[in-house]
Each structure stands twice: as structure tokens, then as C-alpha cells.
Amino acid sequence: MASKTAIIAVVVVAVLVVAGVGAFLLMNGGGSNHDYDNVESKLMVRGNANGDYTIDKQDLTIIEDIIDGKLIGGNYPLADANNDGVVNDKDKSLVKDIIDRKDGITVYVVCNDVNGKDTTVEVKYPLRNVVPYGTNMQMPCLFANGGKYVVGYFVHSYEVAEKSISAAAVDLKGTQRTITDAAWANFTALDASLASKGGVGALLVDHSGIAQITEQRKADLDAAGIPMIDYSSADATDELTTVLTLGFLFGGDCEKIGLNYAKTGWDVKEKIESTLKKVDLAKKTYICGTMYIYICGASSSFNTSATTAGGLAYASVNADFAAKYTKNSTKMAST
């Protein structure tokens, strides 16, 4: 049976490999010979009728078969490419444009609403002039090589990684935890300054920070016609889908890089699962820390990173520990 040291090593390697995927792909231009048929991440764009990693002729065939009555549309929810509730020639036409990667079209992106439920937002393709909120969304944006399309940001945390952000991008003066009223005013002013370029293309939000998007701020977004793309991107698995989808929306080399990132991440996940399959679960407990002196609670999305690497959260086997660390992050204390 594997030793604790070996298990810890596997988990650490898994986290490091996944964290380094974006940098590796950026430095290597996204080149890869991956077999993408095994990518489990679903591209969250309507028109992806077969629910795989891209939109291509296979999706068009499904839509045509639904229109002809050969397939049941309800079995293919993303076949409704324009989100109007029916699958017809309009969806067929839109998917043809998506397959051609036609500039200026409107695509329909499935993501979270403010309550964490599925919703669909309209986005111009290719996506440009984005503003990410929170490190957990900013990094997936960069992993897809989208830094050149960032026009503003609320916080910066990783100086080296963020070198790929456009030098013209505006620091909106937010913090890791808060979008102040002043920072939000900076955001709306940025949108106004980009009016000749269509304004801010999208606000990208990690769902763990959704409390900062108040009803009034959501109303501001709606009034300005700024779509909010919200994913639970702090989750290690959901991050792969986030990078895949953002890469597709950015288009060009970003699409390929996002796809390679997702595939590499799933390869790592499968390797970890196969390596640890025979190890007693009780020997794989972990405590997840963040920001140097904080412990992640059971509900923290950071905890899922180690779970993805094959671990078992210590809070799930120690009730006293779970009772002490109930928040997403709590300052360390003697237990």
C-alpha cells in the first residue's frame, strides 16, 4: 500500500501540473497531438448539440435530424442554438455560422445566474474587451491566452502570470474580496469609454464572488447590455470547462489553447485516479489552506482541488474540525 509520503507527493504533483498547464500551453503555442474525443469538459455554448468540446458538423447533423423528426430535440438541449425554445432552420443557420467562426455573430453561452442556476447569456463572437473579477476567473482567462483581450481588472495577484494582460488594461482598484462603489464606478466609466468599440464585451465572474454583483450592479449590467459570464471556476474540474469555453469564445489560437488545457487537465485527473485507485481512502485525508494562515471550510471550492487529486477532506472524518472551520476560509487556530 502506498505510503502517506507517496500519496502527498502525488497530490502535490497533481496540483502543480494542473496549475502549470496554462503556462505550459502559452509558452508552447498550444501545439498538441491530443485525441480530443476523450475530453470530458463540455463546451458551454448553445449549438454544441452533442455536448462535446467544440461545435462542428456533427452538431449540425444532429440539428438537421431533429428538424427532420429523426431525433427528439429534448434529448439534445444545446441543439437550441439561439435559445428560443425550438429547434428549427434558424438554429441550423446559426450553427453554420459558428462552424465557419463568422465574426460579429451572437452566440448563446450557458453559465450560472446570480443564484447559481443555469442561464443563457448573449455574447458577440469573437469575445473581446473583457473584465474579469477575482483571481479564480482571471487566471482561467489567461490560461486560454485571453490576456490580450482584457481591458480592465479589479485585482491582480500573480505578477508573472498577469504579464500577458494587455498593457492598456485599466486597474479598476478592487480587492480580492470586494468590489467597492469606487471600483464599480471605474468599471462603468471604462464601459462608457469603450462605447465606440462596443463597450465591455463581458464581465467574467467566479461564482464564489457573486455576492459582489448586487441587484443594483446587475441592473447596471443589464442597462448597459454587458453580459455576465459566471462559472464556479475556483473548482478544479469546473475550471477546465471555464478555460475551454472562454478559449472558444475568444477564438483563433485561444480556442486551440483552451482545448489543449482542458485535455491536459483531464489527462492529469485520470492519471491520479488510476494511481490512487487501490489506496485506502482513510490514508488520503487532507487539510486545505489558503492565503498563508487560513483553513478552507468544507464548502470552499478550493477543497475540491485536492478531492480531484484523489483526496478526502479531513473535515469529512473529523466532526470537531468541521465544526470549527465552517466558513469558506477561517483563520488557523489550535485544534
Side-chain angles (χ1 to χ4, degrees), residues 47-259:
N48 181 21
N50 63 359
D52 65 359
Y53 55 85
T54 191
I55 296 176
D56 55 20
K57 291 182 179 179
Q58 294 180 34
D59 301 296
L60 183 61
T61 297
I62 290 172
I63 290 171
E64 290 173 338
D65 285 347
I66 292 172
I67 294 171
D68 293 340
K70 298 176 182 178
L71 294 174
I72 299 173
N75 293 335
Y76 303 89
L78 294 183
D80 180 12
N82 63 358
N83 196 39
D84 65 354
V86 295
V87 178
N88 55 27
D89 286 339
K90 292 181 180 179
D91 300 293
K92 181 177 175 180
S93 177
L94 176 55
V95 168
K96 285 182 177 179
D97 285 343
I98 296 175
I99 291 172
D100 292 339
R101 305 300 191 260
K102 185 176 179 180
D103 283 2
I105 61 174
T106 298
V107 296
Y108 297 79
V109 181
V110 179
C111 58
N112 296 325
D113 65 12
V114 293
N115 298 310
K117 304 296 185 182
D118 283 351
T119 190
T120 298
V121 299
E122 299 181 16
V123 174
K124 289 295 182 183
Y125 178 89
L127 180 60
R128 297 290 185 266
N129 298 340
V130 299
V131 174
Y133 169 59
T135 300
N136 299 323
M137 178 55 83
Q138 192 152 296
M139 295 310 295
C141 178
L142 303 186
F143 291 158
N145 203 25
K148 53 194 170 184
Y149 304 127
V150 172
V151 292
Y153 51 88
F154 287 99
V155 64
H156 53 89
S157 305
Y158 303 109
E159 183 177 352
V160 174
E162 291 165 0
K163 289 291 186 183
S164 65
I165 293 178
S166 168
V170 177
D171 183 351
L172 302 173
K173 307 297 184 182
T175 72
Q176 286 281 10
R177 301 277 182 173
T178 307
I179 299 177
T180 62
D181 288 343
W184 189 254
N186 292 337
F187 170 74
T188 57
L190 174 63
D191 176 58
S193 73
L194 294 169
S196 64
K197 299 179 180 179
V200 170
L203 175 65
L204 311 178
V205 178
D206 164 41
H207 194 70
S208 66
I210 196 62
Q212 296 304 306
I213 310 302
T214 61
E215 287 187 18
Q216 180 57 58
R217 290 173 179 176
K218 184 61 171 66
D220 291 344
L221 294 174
D222 293 341
I226 302 172
M228 182 178 72
I229 299 177
D230 172 349
Y231 289 120
S232 300
S233 48
D235 176 89
T237 303
D238 288 346
E239 183 200 74
L240 300 178
T241 296
T242 302
V243 176
L244 176 70
T245 301
L246 289 179
F248 183 89
L249 294 174
F250 291 139
D253 66 322
C254 297
E255 180 179 350
K256 186 174 183 180
I257 289 171
L259 182 53

Side-chain angles (χ1 to χ4, degrees), residues 38-53:
N38 294 322
V39 174
E40 296 182 47
S41 301
K42 178 187 289 186
L43 176 67
M44 301 302 286
V45 177
R46 288 190 170 275
N48 181 21
N50 63 359
D52 65 359
Y53 55 85

Side-chain angles (χ1 to χ4, degrees), residues 234 288 290 295-305 326-329:
C288 184
T290 183
I295 297 295
C296 296
S299 61
S300 169
S301 52
F302 286 124
N303 257 322
T304 62
S305 296
T326 57
K327 300 178 181 179
N328 279 347
S329 58

